[in-house]
């Protein structure tokens, strides 16, 4: 039986597992993806009655997933910003990986959003009859533009593929693209600021939902700014975690040690600022915003299971603690502490998005209303699984066939590579 | 004679003391607006009831317990939180009538407006509307049915308003200060009154300023144009209470 051999597709000088090993590893993800694709089909074919959402709980698991995934994907634009605009050269070793993570997160979120709306074929109406007062319009415009930017940023990485590199015109194209990458990074940063913010604004502007409503600055509620901050705080942590996971799974070092600490420190500093501002924001809401709307804020926390523990967990356990761990150079130097703190930071952002979306909808506003609950249907989990599996697959294929980590070659075989380069130079 | 067209501000006053909770308004609303019969799998949270009667009670033990009914429809807020959030202008506050209109043909079904409305007055078409064979003959030709995947809500029987306006124009009269919506027509106790809240000749305007009239969640700044009236203090205090206080009452 002829066996499949993809050795000449794998970047020169890099070690990858056998095609069979690769196939075995991705098989479960393919299955999960197939299951997810079936769920997506059901939702598109039969409508949103396939979900457990209803008129009272009109948003559910998907919106939480979108908000979280987009926050974690912020590592892409922020790493680009630090590398190309702030000239933090060391981050070059993770930028390709960051771009792919960003692309996967954003395109995945877009798919989930497309399934989440009742009439996906009408999505373009937003561009035709945009309501400039709606945060969702801002989100739609910015995410669409930024996904395009990410796709363009992905192209040079794709063109580094061994086979594509052999085509001269592609080489020229890649060279040209490289020249505009800093511009793209700047545009991407601007777009990301706005859509991360407007995702926060999405709930912050809801005057009718006193649990989520926040005062703010000009047209933007405070959640607009808090979302940007929390996303850029968690983004680097997520890049750190995914890179570490790739190292673990491929069983080889991919980036130099200092990079992790740099990412960790960035997360730590930003998380500290975020936690401080989030605390101030919470105090303002407790003492002014909520009472002004006629609601005693602490009453919101008397509906089980969402007690004050959730506030404590969000701000202290998953905010202040990882911030302090990442700020201390001594603690950050310990890989276990670094990884744990990064996990806590990412969970903190996820919990924040959960509170804003799910908890807000569960709490009653009408006096004769009651606490509402909802549990996603298997089709909703299926769509979630599809997005997850899609992300893993895109990343796995990119890792196998593209030179994602520029340092990998030197880290895995320093001597030979240097020799080879010497030979080729002379 | 030139017909003067001033802006109107249609609203409704519901006398809670007269409402018996019979649900005739809910049925009339569904029939008038071509709401399809709920599919088998529908629940009270996935069905479409643009008019919905909520039972409330004073929280006292059984022998002293009092019950009241609050028919809840779109409040046609003066500052509608649902309007500003719609990404594609499918929701609009009509300045001429004060009615918050919904354009299902432009709706993409994102349901952002549903999360924005504190009154839960918006409904999503989770299923394709289907009428049992023969029942399509009962459809109201003046109201377009809505498709699966879009949001809908009460529009204060806009088609009836248009008919009343046309009639007024034909008679050389200014736009009507009042007209009869399906729910108002169906209510056996006459608990609901509809009219221009700015027109001192309407009963609605008088009742809106009468003692014992209250609005729901007025503190949120939504400016609801549906008012409730009751002579019972505990019913009135509902408007000021939170859900938690009500549960503990
Ligand atoms: S009651 Fe709800 S749907 Fe009606 S105008 Fe107010 S916010 Fe909009």
């Amino acid at each position: 039986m002829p066996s499949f051999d993809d050795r000449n597709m794998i970047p020169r000088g890099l070690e990858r597992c056998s095609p069979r090993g690769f196939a075995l590893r991705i098989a479960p993800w393919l299955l999960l993806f197939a299951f997810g694709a079936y769920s997506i089909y059901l939702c598109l074919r039969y409508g949103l009655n396939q979900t457990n959402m209803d008129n009272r709980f009109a948003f559910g698991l998907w919106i939480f997933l979108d908000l979280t995934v987009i926050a974690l994907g912020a590592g892409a634009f922020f790493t680009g910003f630090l590398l190309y605009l702030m000239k933090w050269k060391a981050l070059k070793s993770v930028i390709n990986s960051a771009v792919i993570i960003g692309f996967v997160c954003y395109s995945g979120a877009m798919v989930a959003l497309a399934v989440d709306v009742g009439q996906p074929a009408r999505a373009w109406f937003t561009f035709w009859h945009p309501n400039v007062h709606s945060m969702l319009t801002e989100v739609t415009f910015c995410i669409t533009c930024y996904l395009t930017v990410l796709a363009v940023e992905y192209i040079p990485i794709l063109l580094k593929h061994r086979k594509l590199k052999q085509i001269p015109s592609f080489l020229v194209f890649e060279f040209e693209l490289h020249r505009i990458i800093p511009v793209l990074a700047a545009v991407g940063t601007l777009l990301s600021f706005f859509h991360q913010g407007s995702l926060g604004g999405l709930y912050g502007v809801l005057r009718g939902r006193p649990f989520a409503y926040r005062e703010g600055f000009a047209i933007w509620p405070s959640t607009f700014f808090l979302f940007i901050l929390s996303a850029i705080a968690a983004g680097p942590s997520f890049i750190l975690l995914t890179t570490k996971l790739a190292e673990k799974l491929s069983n080889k070092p991919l980036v130099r040690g200092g990079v992790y600490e740099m990412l960790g420190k960035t997360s730590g500093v930003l998380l500290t600022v975020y936690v401080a501002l989030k605390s101030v924001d919470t105090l303002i809401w407790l003492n002014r915003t909520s009472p002004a709307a006629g609601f005693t804020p602490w009453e919101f926390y008397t509906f089980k299971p969402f007690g004050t523990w959730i506030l404590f967990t969000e701000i202290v356990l998953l905010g202040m603690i990882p911030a302090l761990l990442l700020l201390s150079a001594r603690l950050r130097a310990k890989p276990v502490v670094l990884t744990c703190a990064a996990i806590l930071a990412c969970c903190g952002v996820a919990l924040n998005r959960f509170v804003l979306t799910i908890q807000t909808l569960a709490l009653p506003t009408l006096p004769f209303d009651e606490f509402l609950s909802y549990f996603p249907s298997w089709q909703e989990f299926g769509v979630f699984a599809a997005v997850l599996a899609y992300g893993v697959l895109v990343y796995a294929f990119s890792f196998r066939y593209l030179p994602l980590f520029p340092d990998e070659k030197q880290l895995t075989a320093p001597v030979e590579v240097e020799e080879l380069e010497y030979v080729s130079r002379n | 004679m030139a017909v003067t067209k001033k802006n109107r501000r249609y609203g409704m006053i519901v006398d809670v003391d007269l409402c018996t909770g019979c649900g005739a308004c809910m049925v009339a609303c569904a029939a008038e607006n071509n709401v399809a019969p709920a599919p088998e799998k529908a629940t009270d949270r996935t069905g479409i009831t643009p008019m919905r009667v909520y039972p409330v009670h004073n929280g006292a033990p059984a022998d002293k317990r009092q019950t009241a009914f609050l028919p809840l429809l779109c409040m046609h807020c003066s500052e509608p939180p649902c309007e500003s959030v719609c990404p594609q202008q499918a929701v609009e506050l009509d300045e001429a009538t004060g009615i918050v209109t919904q354009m299902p043909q432009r709706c993409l079904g994102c349901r952002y407006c549903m999360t924005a409305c504190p009154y839960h007055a918006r409904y999503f078409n989770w299923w394709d509307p289907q009428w049992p064979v023969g029942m399509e003959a009962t459809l109201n030709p003046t109201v377009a049915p809505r498709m699966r995947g879009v949001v809908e809500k009460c529009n204060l029987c806009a088609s009836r308003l248009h008919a009343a306006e046309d009639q007024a124009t034909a008679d050389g009269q200014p736009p009507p200060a009042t007209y009869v919506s399906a729910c108002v027509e169906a209510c056996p106790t006459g608990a609901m009154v509809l009219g221009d809240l700015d027109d001192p000749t309407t009963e609605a305007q008088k009742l809106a300023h009468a003692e014992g009239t209250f609005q729901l969640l007025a503190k949120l700044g939504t400016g609801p144009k549906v008012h409730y009236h009751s002579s019972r203090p505990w019913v009135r205090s509902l408007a000021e209470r939170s859900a938690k206080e009500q549960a503990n009452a």
Side-chain angles (χ1 to χ4, degrees):
Chain A
M1 195 182 88
S3 71
F4 178 68
D5 187 4
D6 62 355
R7 242 172 311 167
N8 58 355
M9 307 261 279
I10 288 170
R12 243 177 265 277
L14 298 186
E15 269 299 309
R16 292 289 177 265
C17 61
S18 67
R20 177 193 287 266
F22 183 64
L24 277 178
R25 280 178 178 205
I26 61 166
W29 296 103
L30 281 173
L31 278 178
L32 198 64
F33 184 73
F35 161 64
Y38 178 62
S39 308
I40 291 179
Y41 161 76
L42 285 180
C43 293
L44 293 179
R45 170 74 184 79
Y46 298 103
L48 295 182
N49 55 53
Q50 302 290 309
T51 71
N52 275 349
M53 287 186 276
D54 55 48
N55 297 326
R56 319 296 296 280
F57 231 109
F59 281 173
L61 175 72
W62 295 336
I63 207 83
F64 158 62
L65 170 77
D66 285 336
L67 261 59
T68 307
V69 155
I70 287 183
L72 296 178
F77 90 83
F78 198 56
T79 313
F81 168 75
L82 293 176
L83 171 63
Y84 297 114
L85 302 176
M86 305 307 283
K87 308 280 178 217
W88 290 21
K89 293 277 183 255
L91 291 179
K92 203 155 179 43
S93 46
V94 287
I95 186 69
N96 292 347
S97 168
V99 164
I100 293 178
I101 296 279
F103 178 78
V104 157
C105 287
Y106 278 81
S107 50
M110 286 288 256
V111 172
L113 271 177
V115 183
D116 201 350
V117 298
Q119 290 289 335
R122 289 181 177 183
W124 60 276
F125 283 17
T126 309
F127 297 95
W128 202 250
H129 316 280
N131 174 7
V132 291
H133 303 291
S134 172
M135 285 288 162
L136 202 54
T137 308
E138 203 171 315
V139 171
T140 315
F141 273 77
C142 292
I143 293 195
T144 317
C145 296
Y146 183 51
L147 186 59
T148 318
V149 169
L150 275 171
V152 178
E153 285 183 335
Y154 196 168
I155 295 174
I157 307 176
L158 271 178
L159 292 180
K160 283 204 184 75
H161 185 268
R162 211 164 136 177
K163 292 282 166 196
L164 297 177
K165 246 177 161 171
Q166 290 166 356
I167 306 168
S169 52
F170 277 2
L171 268 183
V172 178
F173 184 49
E174 191 206 330
F175 180 73
E176 293 294 330
L177 272 179
H178 264 296
R179 292 212 306 212
I180 60 159
I181 289 284
V183 181
L184 287 179
V187 174
T189 304
L190 188 77
L191 289 171
S192 300
F193 261 74
F194 275 98
H195 75 241
Q196 293 288 353
S198 36
L199 278 175
L202 216 58
Y203 273 77
V205 296
L206 297 183
R207 269 182 298 127
R209 297 287 183 163
F211 181 70
Y213 179 67
R214 293 291 186 280
E215 296 162 74
F217 171 73
I219 56 165
W220 295 296
S222 63
T223 43
F224 183 95
F225 307 99
L226 290 174
F227 258 52
I228 300 178
L229 251 179
S230 54
I232 57 177
S237 279
F238 192 62
I239 301 291
L240 183 154
L241 290 176
T242 43
T243 312
K244 281 208 170 212
L245 194 65
E247 276 190 341
K248 251 229 138 48
L249 292 176
S250 64
N251 210 5
K252 54 173 93 62
L254 298 173
V255 295
R256 297 179 198 282
V259 174
Y260 285 140
E261 283 175 42
M262 188 180 227
L263 288 169
K265 186 178 173 189
T266 314
S267 257
V269 173
L270 291 166
L271 203 57
T272 312
V273 182
Y274 167 69
V275 169
L277 291 180
K278 168 85 189 163
S279 310
V280 173
D281 177 65
T282 309
L283 286 174
I284 294 179
W285 174 75
L286 285 172
N287 293 303
R288 201 171 71 193
T289 322
S290 179
F295 285 79
T296 319
W298 294 113
E299 274 189 8
F300 289 121
Y301 294 100
T302 51
F303 290 94
K304 297 280 166 287
F306 298 134
T308 35
W309 64 267
I310 204 160
L311 196 60
F312 177 78
T313 311
E314 188 193 333
I315 299 186
V316 180
L317 294 187
L318 302 178
M320 216 183 282
I321 291 187
L324 292 178
L325 290 179
L326 291 171
L327 271 187
S328 145
R330 197 170 47 84
L331 291 173
R332 192 166 69 219
K334 296 190 182 115
V336 185
V337 177
L338 188 63
T339 311
C340 289
I343 294 177
L344 290 181
C346 291
C347 291
V349 170
L351 182 63
N352 173 261
R353 302 324 191 232
F354 176 85
V355 166
L356 213 63
T357 53
I358 307 296
Q359 191 177 351
T360 299
L361 290 186
L363 295 172
T365 42
L366 280 169
F368 40 86
D369 224 347
E370 48 194 28
F371 181 81
L372 299 168
S373 59
Y374 137 94
F375 193 78
S377 68
W378 66 262
Q379 292 91 329
E380 287 177 81
F381 283 114
V383 176
F384 190 110
V387 172
L388 184 72
Y390 153 81
V392 171
L393 289 171
V394 171
Y395 196 84
F397 277 96
S398 302
F399 180 71
R400 186 171 177 83
Y401 295 119
L402 303 171
L404 278 202
F405 298 97
D407 294 343
E408 183 185 355
K409 224 185 252 185
Q410 279 158 8
L411 285 169
T412 42
V415 184
E416 295 90 20
V417 170
E418 266 168 31
E419 270 175 11
L420 269 178
E421 277 181 355
Y422 179 75
V423 172
S424 64
R425 245 182 280 136
N426 296 285
Chain B
M1 190 188 86
V3 173
T4 49
K5 276 204 176 164
K6 72 171 183 57
N7 283 352
R8 289 144 286 156
R9 213 163 60 83
Y10 291 118
M12 199 183 265
I13 295 38
V14 183
D15 195 327
V16 183
D17 298 342
L18 289 181
C19 177
T20 60
C22 71
C25 54
M26 293 173 66
V27 178
C29 171
E32 169 76 17
N33 292 292
N34 293 336
V35 173
E40 237 170 71
K41 282 167 281 174
T43 65
D44 72 327
R45 277 167 62 171
T46 50
I48 294 181
T49 47
M51 182 82 176
R52 182 173 172 149
V53 181
Y54 282 83
V56 292
H57 61 78
N58 63 348
D63 54 335
K64 296 207 180 61
R65 175 162 293 216
Q66 287 190 27
T67 304
F69 298 95
L70 279 156
L72 209 95
L73 58 157
C74 168
M75 301 282 138
H76 296 279
C77 305
S78 310
E79 299 283 340
C82 58
E83 183 201 25
S84 51
V85 298
C86 175
Q88 41 205 11
Q89 306 187 42
V91 185
E92 201 177 52
L93 172 62
D94 182 355
E95 293 296 338
T97 60
I99 295 179
V100 177
T101 55
Q102 172 81 19
M103 281 168 261
Q105 63 275 39
R106 196 184 275 183
C107 174
L108 95 154
C110 73
R111 310 184 301 290
Y112 189 17
C113 57
M114 299 176 73
T115 64
C117 171
Y119 304 98
H120 298 298
R122 301 184 145 270
Y123 296 84
F124 185 69
N125 283 275
W126 301 96
W127 284 272
D128 281 307
Q130 261 165 2
W131 285 267
V133 183
M135 199 177 162
E136 69 277 358
T138 66
L139 282 173
N140 177 355
T142 62
V143 177
R146 283 75 48 194
M147 70 201 296
R148 185 183 87 200
V150 300
V151 174
E152 66 178 76
K153 67 170 194 72
C154 156
N155 60 6
L156 268 181
C157 286
S159 65
R160 288 184 174 226
L161 170 60
H162 294 155
E165 283 174 338
D166 289 350
Q167 188 59 50
T169 311
D171 298 344
Q173 295 295 316
T178 180
Y179 64 99
V180 184
S181 62
C183 51
V184 168
E185 185 180 48
C187 180
T189 61
M192 286 182 256
V193 176
L194 192 161
D196 182 352
L197 298 178
D198 284 344
D199 190 327
T201 63
T202 64
E203 202 192 341
Q205 196 270 352
K206 285 184 203 110
L207 285 175
H209 294 99
E211 212 187 300
T213 298
F214 61 96
Q215 292 160 305
L216 288 177
L217 301 176
K219 273 194 181 164
L220 292 179
T222 47
K225 287 201 283 291
V226 173
H227 298 65
Y228 295 85
H229 179 273
S230 176
S231 54
R232 289 174 283 179
W234 74 264
V235 176
R236 291 202 299 271
S237 78
L238 261 184
E240 305 294 325
R241 278 192 205 172
S242 67
K244 196 74 207 180
E245 282 170 334
Q246 174 64 10
N248 296 337

